[in-house]
């Protein structure tokens, strides 16, 4: 009975994850194109040689690294702060949980379109800053300036996903026994000492999971880029996943796109392995 209940999900995983992954690994060593009169042939490591000599790939890798280095600690830290603030059993806690989580259940495409309007020259952000500076602010086209485009994507991404990690932190906080806090209060511990000596150690498994999930999500940045900037301006917001999709579906170079995804998969595996090693129980 157990195997029978597992069978539908196993078939779906095999069809939509297992087989595509194997095909991508195989196509990475070929010259496969979506539409081509020439048959697909094995070309060895030519796609990888081209990839590592392509400056766009290194721009994309740099952008993803910057995005992850900023988003991972900020998003996790803000989520923990919000979780601690609303963990108290007060009347308004349910309201604030709903407000903070609302962007998470909103489609990323919708959120990206809304923030595109906010970031326009005559958008809300420039207007608010102009009001606060009494008209001295010069409007900035946030998404079309290479100096501000990635920063704008980072701010929007943190705002959209912080509620999800707030709930994960909150679930971890609510598993901590209240007796530990009572004992800490009897020992004269301040609020900060309670957090440092009780809350933080008890959140080990929660923070390890959040660290890994945020890192993978940050490295896989795609939807915001595809909707808001298309990788521009001048590759300032190009990411590895966006470059793979653009190569595979717009330029129809499936072999080259598969090589990108294979390299990206290995990078993710290495980073995740390092994180698991550093956060292991000692």
């Amino acid at each position: 009975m157990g195997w029978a209940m597992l069978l539908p999900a196993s078939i779906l995983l095999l069809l939509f994850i297992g087989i595509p992954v194997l095909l991508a690994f195989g196509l990475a060593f070929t010259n496969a194109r979506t539409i081509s009169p020439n048959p697909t042939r094995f070309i060895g490591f030519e796609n990888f040689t081209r990839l590592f000599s392509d400056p766009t790939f290194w721009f994309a890798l740099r952008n993803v690294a910057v995005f992850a280095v900023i988003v991972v600690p900020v998003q996790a830290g803000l989520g923990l702060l919000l979780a601690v603030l609303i963990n108290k059993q007060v009347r308004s806690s349910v309201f604030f949980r709903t407000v903070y989580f609302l962007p998470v259940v909103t489609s990323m495409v919708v959120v990206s379109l809304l923030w595109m309007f906010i970031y326009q020259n005559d958008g809300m952000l420039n207007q608010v800053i102009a009001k606060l500076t009494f008209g001295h602010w010069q409007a900035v086209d946030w998404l079309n300036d290479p100096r501000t485009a990635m920063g704008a994507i980072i701010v929007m991404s943190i705002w959209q996903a912080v509620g999800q990690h707030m709930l994960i932190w909150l679930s971890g906080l609510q598993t901590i026994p209240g007796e530990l806090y009572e004992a800490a209060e009897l020992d004269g511990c301040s609020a900060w000492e309670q957090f440092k000596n009780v809350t933080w150690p008890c959140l080990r498994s929660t923070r390890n999971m959040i660290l890994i999930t945020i890192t993978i999500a940050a490295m896989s940045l795609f939807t915001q880029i595809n909707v808001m900037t298309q990788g521009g301006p001048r590759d300032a917001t190009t990411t590895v996943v966006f470059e793979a999709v653009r190569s595979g579906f717009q330029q129809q170079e499936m072999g080259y796109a598969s090589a990108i995804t294979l390299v990206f998969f290995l990078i993710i595996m290495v980073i995740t392995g390092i994180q698991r090693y550093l956060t292991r129980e000692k």
Side-chain angles (χ1 to χ4, degrees):
M1 180 61 67
W3 287 108
M5 296 179 68
L6 282 173
L7 186 61
S10 301
I11 293 175
L12 291 175
L13 288 172
L14 179 64
L15 290 177
F16 294 102
I17 296 181
I19 293 177
V21 167
L22 294 176
L23 286 175
F25 284 5
L27 291 175
F29 300 94
T30 69
N31 66 340
R33 296 183 64 89
T34 307
I35 301 175
S36 176
N38 300 318
T40 300
R41 60 184 179 85
F42 179 80
I43 59 173
F45 291 92
E46 288 184 19
N47 285 326
F48 298 96
T49 304
R50 172 187 168 189
L51 176 64
F52 292 127
S53 61
D54 185 0
T56 303
F57 171 73
W58 295 108
F59 279 131
L61 201 58
R62 181 202 62 185
N63 292 336
V64 166
V66 170
F67 184 86
V69 166
I70 297 176
V71 167
V72 171
V74 174
Q75 193 166 286
L78 285 177
L80 178 58
L81 176 62
L82 293 176
V84 171
L85 292 177
I86 67 174
N87 190 39
K88 307 298 182 181
Q89 297 298 324
V90 295
R91 182 176 301 176
S92 59
S93 62
V94 176
F95 170 76
F96 284 109
R97 292 180 196 179
T98 305
V99 170
Y100 294 146
F101 193 71
L102 189 60
V104 179
V105 298
T106 306
S107 168
M108 177 59 79
V109 175
V110 175
V111 171
S112 299
L113 291 173
L114 290 174
W115 279 79
M116 282 180 65
F117 290 112
I118 292 174
Y119 283 139
Q120 287 179 349
N121 274 328
D122 56 349
M124 186 181 70
L125 181 58
N126 281 319
Q127 292 185 14
V128 169
I129 298 177
K131 293 289 185 182
L132 294 176
T133 58
F134 303 102
H136 295 290
W137 174 257
Q138 296 292 327
V140 175
D141 195 354
W142 300 94
L143 295 177
N144 290 318
D145 189 335
R147 298 170 297 178
T148 60
M150 181 53 75
I153 297 292
I154 288 172
V155 170
M156 186 274 288
S157 301
I158 292 174
W159 173 85
Q160 190 273 337
V162 70
Q164 176 182 359
H165 299 99
M166 174 202 71
L167 284 186
I168 299 175
W169 283 118
L170 187 62
S171 65
L173 288 172
Q174 293 181 348
T175 62
I176 302 175
E179 294 82 0
L180 297 178
Y181 292 106
E182 294 175 3
E185 289 180 359
L186 291 175
D187 288 340
C189 293
S190 63
W192 168 248
E193 289 173 333
Q194 291 182 35
F195 176 83
K196 183 177 67 173
N197 298 312
V198 177
T199 305
W200 188 246
C202 290
L203 291 175
R204 165 185 281 274
S205 59
T206 304
R207 68 173 182 260
N208 291 347
M209 182 188 70
I210 285 181
L211 176 63
I212 293 174
T213 55
I214 294 181
T215 302
I216 294 176
M219 296 289 289
S220 305
L221 175 66
F222 170 73
T223 305
Q224 303 94 302
I225 304 300
N226 189 46
V227 174
M228 300 176 72
T229 63
Q230 291 290 308
R234 298 201 299 269
D235 292 326
T237 58
T238 299
T239 64
V240 178
V241 176
F242 179 80
E243 179 64 16
V245 172
R246 180 167 59 184
S247 299
F249 292 98
Q250 294 183 7
Q251 302 172 1
Q252 301 182 1
E253 296 182 296
M254 296 303 295
Y256 184 63
S258 299
I260 296 176
T261 58
L262 177 56
V263 171
F264 180 67
F265 170 78
L266 295 176
I267 292 173
I268 291 291
M269 289 294 292
V270 169
I271 293 175
T272 304
I274 293 173
Q275 289 179 335
R276 291 292 301 271
Y277 177 78
L278 294 177
T279 58
R280 71 192 189 283
E281 290 196 24
K282 302 176 183 178

